[in-house]
Amino acid sequence: MTNTPSDLKYAASHEWLSADGTVGITDFAQEQLGDVVYVELPEVGRVIEAGETIAVVESVKTASDIYAPASGTVVAVNEDLRGTPELVNSAPYEGGWLFKLDVTGEGDLMDAGAYTSANN
Amino acid sequence: MTDTPQEPLKRTPLHAAHLRAGARMVPFGGWDMPVQYSGLKAEHDAVRTGAGVFDVSHMGEFRVTGEGALAFLQSVTTNDVSKLKAGRAQYNWLPGVQGGLVDDIYIYMVRDGEYLMVVNAGNIAKDWAHLNAHTQGFDVTLTDESDRWGLLAVQGPKTPELLQPHTDTDLSAKKKNAFFQTKLFGFDVWLARTGYTGEDGFEVFAVASEAETVWDKLLAIGLTPAGLGARDTLRLEAGFPLYGHEFSDTIHPLSSTYAWVVKDKAHVGRNHISLAPSQKLVGLRLERVPVREGYPVKVAGQVVGHVTSGTSSPTLGHPIAMALVEAAYATAETFEVEVRGKDHPATRMELPFYKA
């Protein structure tokens, strides 16, 4: 079974958002994607609306758009992913985070229970 | 998504076995097929270093019989079928009448006047119509045996040693492209020393009703089930064109590096194949970003072609792609590939990217 921490919020498009504005993709999503080989990160300073395409995660076979789970400004990106994109697979909620937002408004998000039942 | 009513997906004789093995299933050429089981990279590596087994039962089999079988095959293909001997297999093309390829195929010779043709899954109906439209004047009978066979591709350097204890044939005596009837796990099968991964291996023609047991026995002796995902990365590393990507009804077949498949003989596509292709297939290497089918390929900022297949090579550890570019640029050393609006440098790499 995949891991869905209870202290995060989840988008139907499989991104998670933490209380401090950190964004990543879920354990379920990384497992569906398979081996991640490249991550295209947004530029720091970009202002984004919830639901907009903001990053791309590429596995061996496919490129998947990442959607912003909240509106706000990108204040940091995970530089470690440029050299070790596989962190998205091995630690989707820790070392594999994608970027941080200064959140001005959340999108339509679920708690862990709702996200888990939506993906079973 | 589309609202158009879809035909239900067809299932191979191994469908239940795939679900048991935990496969992720996807639609492919009208079939419900396994794209991966344990993971694409693990399956890919198993085939490169050990042995894997693919379900390729979705491919079509046509039997071609009659005194005119050879003459008929000569007229609808580009390779010289007269060079084929009983017990041997030959890669071949079905050229279109107007242009492009109807399909790329394998022909297996059973005996004089009897051949088996294996065609791509998505092209079965089209090939069948095309072939039947060209039988006039030949003493030939075509039989669609696609439902009769379960076809398994057993691929990887360890396949001969794994299969040997379970067959009554000395596999070491069977060279590449051999095609022979034998017992495997006690079942009557045909084996062909052919494949689509760049590795040694066999394709196993089993009677459809026995295919699942053969599959289970192959897994039990240590073969790794491998899905369409690994099949695609393996064939791309090996530089093998794939119909619908590097070949089509409109792409000039000599754009590929396979000019040897066209011999000097009369056939239905001779007129257009004799014209020089305006595009050439090249291999590209990128450093980091994977590139996908359809991405523009440029030289000095000018679009000269597009990617036909691309992936991140599990064996080589960097992205690779095949691309069709204007013939004048086919010898350029450096290209750019546009990915989401940004150009990324690519260098030309000789095909195949990987050779066992």
Side-chain angles (χ1 to χ4, degrees):
Chain A
M1 286 309 293
T2 56
N3 179 18
T4 311
S6 58
D7 58 339
L8 303 174
K9 291 180 180 175
Y10 299 90
S13 48
H14 309 293
E15 296 82 10
W16 56 261
L17 175 72
S18 73
D20 72 352
T22 306
V23 176
I25 68 167
T26 64
D27 192 26
F28 175 83
Q30 69 79 18
E31 197 176 290
Q32 293 288 310
L33 269 172
D35 302 298
V36 171
V37 292
Y38 184 79
V39 181
E40 191 171 282
L41 295 165
E43 283 183 18
V44 172
R46 180 170 160 191
V47 178
I48 184 97
E49 291 289 320
E52 273 187 62
T53 305
I54 187 166
V56 178
V57 174
E58 302 230 19
S59 64
V60 176
K61 278 303 293 171
T62 54
S64 298
D65 285 337
I66 303 303
Y67 302 95
S71 303
T73 306
V74 177
V75 293
V77 297
N78 185 354
E79 297 290 345
D80 291 347
L81 296 182
R82 299 194 199 279
T84 47
E86 58 271 24
L87 285 170
V88 173
N89 292 117
S90 58
Y93 301 110
E94 289 115 27
W97 64 279
L98 301 180
F99 54 89
K100 283 185 204 286
L101 286 175
D102 182 5
V103 174
T104 55
E106 290 182 5
D108 188 12
L109 301 178
M110 293 174 266
D111 64 18
Y115 179 77
T116 304
S117 23
N119 292 291
N120 270 332
Chain B
M1 295 302 289
T2 170
D3 294 323
T4 314
Q6 302 284 312
E7 293 279 321
L9 291 173
K10 288 180 283 217
R11 294 177 168 188
T12 76
L14 299 170
H15 193 267
H18 299 319
L19 298 183
R20 272 204 307 280
R24 187 183 310 162
M25 307 297 286
V26 296
F28 181 84
W31 294 77
D32 192 28
M33 296 298 292
V35 64
Q36 66 170 53
Y37 306 82
S38 54
L40 190 158
K41 189 172 187 316
E43 295 162 28
H44 180 107
D45 292 347
V47 173
R48 284 277 178 259
T49 60
V53 55
F54 302 85
D55 177 13
V56 289
S57 303
H58 58 319
M59 299 184 79
E61 293 87 9
F62 302 154
R63 195 167 295 266
V64 183
T65 54
E67 289 205 356
L70 174 59
F72 168 72
L73 288 172
Q74 288 289 59
S75 77
V76 293
T77 65
T78 62
N79 205 344
D80 188 354
V81 186
S82 74
K83 292 282 196 286
L84 191 54
K85 296 184 172 72
R88 299 286 300 166
Q90 181 188 62
Y91 178 69
N92 211 327
W93 286 346
L94 297 180
V97 178
Q98 303 292 333
L101 285 188
V102 177
D103 205 356
D104 67 322
I105 62 169
Y106 246 92
I107 296 180
Y108 302 82
M109 184 169 174
V110 181
R111 59 178 70 84
D112 279 341
E114 184 173 352
Y115 300 83
L116 195 65
M117 178 188 292
V118 172
V119 306
N120 281 300
N123 289 341
I124 294 173
K126 182 181 74 167
D127 293 358
W128 181 249
H130 170 81
L131 291 168
N132 278 285
H134 288 89
T135 55
Q136 202 173 8
F138 297 102
D139 173 11
V140 65
T141 302
L142 300 180
T143 313
D144 184 353
E145 296 190 353
S146 301
D147 292 338
R148 175 178 169 189
W149 298 103
L151 187 57
L152 311 181
V154 182
Q155 300 279 295
K158 291 192 176 153
T159 52
E161 66 184 73
L162 286 171
L163 294 194
Q164 189 57 72
H166 308 284
T167 175
D168 51 6
T169 300
D170 175 12
L171 297 179
S172 68
K174 300 297 185 181
K175 304 287 182 252
K176 185 174 163 55
N177 283 330
F179 176 58
F180 51 98
Q181 194 167 25
T182 186
K183 293 258 189 207
L184 182 64
F185 305 114
F187 293 101
D188 287 313
V189 299
W190 286 81
L191 289 187
R193 201 157 197 165
T194 53
Y196 192 52
T197 60
E199 298 296 334
D200 192 7
F202 297 87
E203 287 175 301
V204 183
F205 296 74
V207 175
S209 60
E210 296 171 349
E212 189 173 350
T213 311
V214 173
W215 169 272
D216 286 342
K217 288 182 180 293
L218 288 167
L219 299 196
I221 62 168
L223 283 103
T224 300
L228 291 179
R231 189 165 170 85
D232 196 49
T233 52
L234 289 158
R235 73 93 192 167
L236 184 46
E237 285 182 350
F240 295 143
L242 173 62
Y243 198 90
H245 299 258
E246 286 75 35
F247 292 140
S248 77
D249 290 304
T250 53
I251 297 169
H252 193 302
L254 292 182
S255 299
S256 74
T257 49
Y258 280 51
W260 59 269
V261 187
V262 179
K263 300 298 195 292
D264 185 19
K265 67 171 193 180
H267 61 79
V268 298
R270 184 168 182 150
N271 286 344
H272 71 81
I273 281 188
S274 64
L275 303 171
S278 60
Q279 295 174 301
K280 284 283 188 186
L281 194 69
V282 296
L284 298 177
R285 172 201 172 119
L286 290 103
E287 290 313 310
R288 293 207 53 81
V289 60
V291 298
R292 314 294 181 181
E293 184 180 6
Y295 288 8
V297 175
K298 303 175 179 179
V299 170
Q302 179 193 347
V303 175
V304 299
H306 67 279
V307 171
T308 53
S309 295
T311 190
S312 181
S313 163
T315 305
L316 304 174
H318 58 74
I320 55 172
M322 290 200 275
L324 274 176
V325 300
E326 291 171 30
Y329 293 96
T331 54
E333 293 300 324
T334 56
F335 295 82
E336 304 100 52
V337 183
E338 187 184 322
V339 181
R340 296 178 286 274
K342 192 175 165 212
D343 291 345
H344 292 263
T347 50
R348 188 165 59 80
M349 214 174 150
E350 291 298 320
L351 295 171
F353 299 106
Y354 166 90
K355 206 166 170 41

